[in-house]
Amino acid sequence: MPAILDIELIRTFHAVARIGKFSAAAQQLHKSPAAVSVHIQRLEAVAGGRLLNRDNQAVSLTALGKRLLSSTTELLSTHDRVLADLQGTRLAGRITLGVPDEYADHVIRDILPTFAAAWPNVVLELRTAPSYALRDQVQRGKLQAAVIARPKAQPGTESLLLTSTSPVWVGPINSVIASTQPLPLAVHAAQCPYRQAMIEALRQCARKSRIVLESPSTQAVKACVEAGLAISLIDRARVTDKMQILDSLPVVPEHEVVFMRSQASHADEAVNLLSRAMQQHFRL
């Protein structure tokens, strides 16, 4: 009998690959860590090799794992789209969704078109703003849901972990940071968790700084760094080839990206479906 790719095994594999930790992926999938391990082992048996490198801190993809992740991304999306089509397009409604600038491109290009095609009678209304501004709007009921970044282990209402992030200090390639001069900073807008993390980390080590750029645009912050005008704090996964990581500056703890929803949206089936789509397809 020919081998079969079980869609649930693929879904588990994508969750582990996206989050980078078995325990966090198990929590997101509402499974035990042992069940997640069994799913990965069964998929590795079908794939014919190891898919993940494991250690005590996190997991990373092997070459075979990277191939499988790439080749099954569209398969998983197609499966969910076909299933939604079979279930009909009776669902209707409106979702007000907030997304920070840093993740807006990915959400708008890679997640929402598939969702909109599967549920054409659900109207999407989008808003971009810094994470903490979006959090406040969700808590006040001004938004039904939002993707937000925040420090890990921060209490939040009705939030679903999408991925973990590692903030790193970056400067232009071949730059030298003078220890006697105030650090030139490119900072995100107020109510951004990375801005607050930057200021607090420098305050704790009594390092002087000056703001060169303040902008709600992630692209503007990156351009300022690449041009050699300032340093900043960004996700490790988003460091470009025109930047270098500055290990001499204070370490900033890991953050996380979550899907947060209002209390009133808890029974809203459209938001439930969007939450599932975000959970399955969000990546840095």
Side-chain angles (χ1 to χ4, degrees), residues 119-179:
W119 307 104
N121 294 326
V122 175
V123 177
L124 292 168
E125 296 181 5
L126 308 178
R127 186 177 304 167
T128 61
S131 287
Y132 289 159
L134 295 175
R135 176 199 62 190
D136 294 345
Q137 291 179 47
V138 171
Q139 291 175 338
R140 296 199 309 269
K142 301 295 184 181
L143 289 172
Q144 289 167 285
V147 174
I148 68 168
R150 67 186 188 187
K152 275 195 169 182
Q154 186 181 85
T157 304
E158 299 297 334
S159 61
L160 174 71
L161 176 65
L162 298 179
T163 191
S164 297
T165 70
S166 298
V168 291
W169 293 93
V170 291
I173 287 292
N174 300 323
S175 64
V176 177
I177 303 299
S179 59

Side-chain angles (χ1 to χ4, degrees), residues 73-88 113-119 280-281:
T73 297
E74 184 58 31
L75 173 64
L76 193 58
S77 296
T78 301
H79 169 274
D80 293 344
R81 186 166 58 248
V82 170
L83 183 61
D85 185 62
L86 290 174
Q87 292 173 338
T114 301
F115 179 85
W119 307 104
Q280 293 169 1
H281 303 298

Side-chain angles (χ1 to χ4, degrees), residues 61-276:
L61 291 171
T62 64
L64 180 61
K66 291 178 181 178
R67 283 174 50 201
L68 184 65
L69 184 70
S70 176
S71 61
T72 56
T73 297
E74 184 58 31
L75 173 64
L76 193 58
S77 296
T78 301
H79 169 274
D80 293 344
R81 186 166 58 248
V82 170
L83 183 61
D85 185 62
L86 290 174
Q87 292 173 338
T89 58
R90 296 180 300 276
L91 182 68
R94 180 176 70 97
I95 300 176
T96 52
L97 174 68
V99 187
D101 175 76
E102 185 168 8
Y103 307 114
D105 184 73
H106 170 46
V107 170
I108 293 170
R109 291 180 183 272
D110 304 327
I111 300 177
L112 295 185
T114 301
F115 179 85
W119 307 104
N121 294 326
V122 175
V123 177
L124 292 168
E125 296 181 5
L126 308 178
R127 186 177 304 167
T128 61
S131 287
Y132 289 159
L134 295 175
R135 176 199 62 190
D136 294 345
Q137 291 179 47
V138 171
Q139 291 175 338
R140 296 199 309 269
K142 301 295 184 181
L143 289 172
Q144 289 167 285
V147 174
I148 68 168
R150 67 186 188 187
K152 275 195 169 182
Q154 186 181 85
T157 304
E158 299 297 334
S159 61
L160 174 71
L161 176 65
L162 298 179
T163 191
S164 297
T165 70
S166 298
V168 291
W169 293 93
V170 291
I173 287 292
N174 300 323
S175 64
V176 177
I177 303 299
S179 59
T180 59
Q181 298 295 325
L183 291 172
L185 302 181
V187 300
H188 304 273
Q191 295 188 292
C192 171
Y194 275 19
R195 176 185 176 131
Q196 295 188 14
M198 291 171 67
I199 302 302
E200 179 61 20
L202 295 176
R203 185 192 66 79
Q204 289 186 4
C205 69
R207 189 68 190 268
K208 293 182 179 180
S209 63
R210 61 185 179 87
I211 294 177
V212 173
L213 171 74
E214 178 179 8
S215 174
S217 168
T218 300
Q219 292 304 315
V221 170
K222 288 182 177 180
C224 192
V225 172
E226 292 177 345
L229 300 177
I231 66 171
S232 193
L233 190 75
I234 67 173
D235 291 342
R236 180 179 293 272
R238 296 180 181 271
V239 177
T240 71
D241 57 6
K242 296 180 180 180
M243 300 176 183
Q244 65 171 331
I245 295 176
L246 305 175
D247 294 322
S248 61
L249 293 175
V251 174
V252 175
E254 280 196 346
H255 282 51
E256 61 188 12
V257 182
V258 300
F259 182 79
M260 183 179 181
R261 53 193 302 178
S262 67
Q263 289 283 1
S265 74
H266 185 70
D268 191 312
E269 182 60 21
V271 180
N272 291 340
L273 289 166
L274 180 60
S275 172
R276 193 178 309 158

